[in-house]
Amino acid sequence: MARINANYLKLKAGYLFPEISRRVSAFAKAHPERQIIRLGIGDVTKPLVPAVLDAFHQGVDDLASSDRFHGYGPEQGYDWLIQTIIDKAYKPLGVELDVSEMFISDGSKCDSANILDIFALDNVVAIGDPVYPVYNDTNVMIGRTGACDARGYYEGIVYMPCTEENGFLPAFPEQKVDIIYLCFPNNPTGAVATREQLKGWVDYALANDAVIFFDAAYEAFITEPGIPHSIYEIEGAKRCAIELRSFSKTAGFTGVRCGLTVVPQELKASDGQGGQVALNALWNRRQSTKFNGVSYPVQRAAAAVYSATGWAQVQQVIDFYMENARIIREGLQAAGIRCYGGVNAPYIWLKTPAGLSSWDFFDRLLDQCSVVGTPGSGFGPSGEGYFRLSAFGERANVEQAVERIRNGWGQ
Amino acid sequence: MARINANYLKLKAGYLFPEISRRVSAFAKAHPERQIIRLGIGDVTKPLVPAVLDAFHQGVDDLASSDRFHGYGPEQGYDWLIQTIIDKAYKPLGVELDVSEMFISDGSKCDSANILDIFALDNVVAIGDPVYPVYNDTNVMIGRTGACDARGYYEGIVYMPCTEENGFLPAFPEQKVDIIYLCFPNNPTGAVATREQLKGWVDYALANDAVIFFDAAYEAFITEPGIPHSIYEIEGAKRCAIELRSFSKTAGFTGVRCGLTVVPQELKASDGQGGQVALNALWNRRQSTKFNGVSYPVQRAAAAVYSATGWAQVQQVIDFYMENARIIREGLQAAGIRCYGGVNAPYIWLKTPAGLSSWDFFDRLLDQCSVVGTPGSGFGPSGEGYFRLSAFGERANVEQAVERIRNGWGQ
C-alpha cells in the first residue's frame, strides 16, 4: 500500500486559531447581546489603496487584449517588478541587488516553507520561541525532527527563548546550528533588532557557516530611525542570509497574495562532497520546476505600491494601523498592564496580569471585555504568560476595546 | 557549513525550453528576414473571455471597499468557487464530491509537485515516458531517485514507455509500484484513455494498493463523446485517485494562475505502522501550513468560467484552438507525416519523417519552414523520433505554418 509521510503524524493536532474560533463561537452563543471585538488574527482590514487598485484593473485589462495578453510569465517574477522593488525598497537602504537575486512569490508563508526544499535534512535548525508556527511545523513535516515533548518542543530543533528577561532578542545558540530563523520586526513579540544586534547575528552566522532565514514581513511598520529594514544593510549578510518580504501587511495584500525572497549570488552552502553550491541557482531551479509565477495582474498591482502615489497612500494606511498600535499600547499601560511591541510592529505583546496563563487571560478578556486576542502560548512554550493584540482594525473598535480593557483591568 | 539538498545535483542541466530558445535565437540572428512561427511551448494566446474579465474586475473592486474587502481567505479556496466547480464540472459527469474534497491552488504545476510532500520517500513511483518533465524532476529533487543513466532514466523510477506501438497508452508496470502518474488527455502525445482503459488503471491501482495522480489539465479539450473527463467517472476511483485540474488551458489562465486538486475522503494510505490515514486530512494540513490560498480576484474570475455566459465564451476559444489542431493534423497528414493527438487535446504528436531524430527534425523544420516546435526527446527517451506541435496560436500563423510544412515536406 502507498505510504504517507509519517512525519505529519508528529504534528500536534490542535492549532491555535481553530481553538480561538471555537471558544469565541461558544461565547457568542452564550452571550448574543455582547459585541465582540477581534484583535486576534493578524489580518489587515483596510481596502487596497487607489493607486494599487488602478494598476490591478489595468493588469486585468491587459489580459483582455491580444496585444497585451500575458500567459506564462517568468517563474521568478517579471523584471519590471523586481527592478522596481530593488530601486525603491533596497537602494534607499544602501543595498544593491541584481535582478537575478530576487524571486517574486505568492507570499512569505509559502516561501518560508518552501525554502527548506533546497537544504539537506541533516542541517540543524534554530528557531525562536515564541515563533510564527509555520517555521516549526514545516520542519516537522519535512522530517527534520523527532517527536514533540511535553513542553511542546520537537526533538532535533534548537529553540531560542525570547522573553522579557532578554528583551525578546534570543541569545546565540550554544550548540552548532546550520540554519537560523530570524524575524524582525517580530511576530508575535513586536521586537526589533538594532543594527548592532543584527550585526551580531550576521557575524555569528559567518563565523559558524550558518544560513539565516530573515523574515522581514513587517519591515514597513518600523517607525524608529536607525532600525535596519533589511539584513543586507549589515556588512557580510549577502554571504549568509536569505531575506523574505511580503506585500501582505505592507500593502494589504493578505487576500491578493504577493511576496518575495532574496537569495544573493554570493550565498553558498556545502554539497556534502567538499564543494560549494550557490543557493541562488538551487532556489531558481526549485521555483522553475515547482512554481509557475505570480498572477500577472497581481504583479502589476504590487509594482504600483512603489509608485510615488502608491507609496504615499500605503504609508497612510500603515500610519493608521500604527496609531491603533499606540492607542492599544498606551491604553494597556494606563491599565497597569506591561506591554511590548507596537512601536515598530503592528503587534502588541503583553504580559498577562496577575500571573494568569495565556489561555486564562484569553478567557477572562473575552468574558469581561468581549475582546479577542491571541494567547502567547500558542506561539511556543516561552509565550506562556503573554498575549498578542493586533493593531489591524477599525479605529472605533480599537478605542472601544481599549476602554473596555481599562475598565476591566485598570486600577 | 549548511548543506544543500544534494538531490538537486542529480538533475540534468539542460532543460528543454532554454535549448529551444537558444537555437531559435541563433537562427533568427542568422536569418533576420525570415518570419518565425512558434508552435512550441503550450501557452495560450487568446485573451481572457469577457465574462471572466468582468468577474476579475469585480473581484478587484471588492478589495476597494471596507464592506467587501477580503483578506486572508481559506487556504483550501472559497466554498463558493469549489461548489460551483462541483456543480458545473463534476455533477454533469455523474461525479458527486463534497466541498471538503476539493482544494483550489495557484496551478496544476505546483500541485503536481507539492502532492509528493504527503507521501513517504520509499514509495515506488511510475511515470510515463514521454512525460511532462515536472513529474520526473520533482521526484529527483525530493530524493526518491538515484542518478540519471545514459538514456535519461533515473534509478528508482519505473518508466512506462508510451509509443506508436502501444497507442501511447502504457502497459501496467511489471513490478510493484505505489504511485502512478497518469495524464489524459496527454501532454505531450495528445492521447486519451477510453472508459475501459481508465477502468483498467483504476482496477489495477485498487488491486495493487497504489495511488493514481490523475492530471486532467486538458480535459476541456476532449471533443469525442464517451471519453472520461474525470477519473472519478470510473467506479472505485475515489479509493485510489487524486485528480488535478487547471484553469490554465481551459480558460486561458496561464498568466492568471488557478488550478485545483481533488483528494477524496475515501482515499487512504498506510501510516507504516499498520494503520491507515486519510490523504485528504494530510493534504489539508499541508496546504494550511505551507500555502495561503489563491488571490481573491482570481477565484472570482475562475468562478465566472462556469457561468452560462462564461462557459459559452470559453468553449468558443477552445473550439478555435481545436480548429487549429484540425488544420495542423490534416495538413501534416497531407504532407505524408504520421501524426497523433489533436482530436481531444491541443497537441499534435508527430512521427518525424525519414527517421530523423527529434532534434534533427527541429533543426530542419526551423531551417526549411521557419517553424518552431518541441522535440519529443525532450519529454523522455521514448519521445525520440517524435515531435510536438501546439494548437495555440493565431489562425493565420497556423495556416501559414502548415502551408510551409506541406511545401517543405509534402510528396
Side-chain angles (χ1 to χ4, degrees), chain A residues 103 108-120 123 135 138-139 142 144 179 181 211-214 241-244 261-263 267 279-280 282-284 286-287 290, chain B residues 3-5 8 290:
Chain A
F103 299 82
S108 255
K109 182 183 184 183
C110 306
D111 282 352
S112 70
N114 294 337
I115 194 74
L116 295 179
D117 283 5
I118 65 169
F119 289 91
N123 286 288
Y135 305 161
T138 52
N139 276 286
I142 208 167
R144 185 166 280 122
I179 293 170
Y181 289 78
V211 173
I212 294 172
F213 296 163
F214 190 75
I242 289 170
E243 179 163 295
L244 294 85
T261 289
V262 177
V263 187
L267 180 58
L279 292 176
N280 182 283
L282 286 192
W283 184 245
N284 189 47
R286 193 268 169 213
Q287 292 298 84
K290 297 180 71 169
Chain B
R3 288 159 303 285
I4 64 157
N5 173 355
Y8 277 58
K290 299 181 69 169

Side-chain angles (χ1 to χ4, degrees), chain A residues 64-92:
Chain A
S65 140
S66 288
D67 295 342
R68 302 196 310 279
F69 184 74
H70 285 68
Y72 289 123
E75 289 94 349
Q76 301 83 356
Y78 282 101
D79 281 0
W80 42 259
L81 173 58
I82 295 173
Q83 193 62 60
T84 297
I85 299 170
I86 290 173
D87 291 345
K88 299 298 173 66
Y90 281 94
K91 277 194 183 149

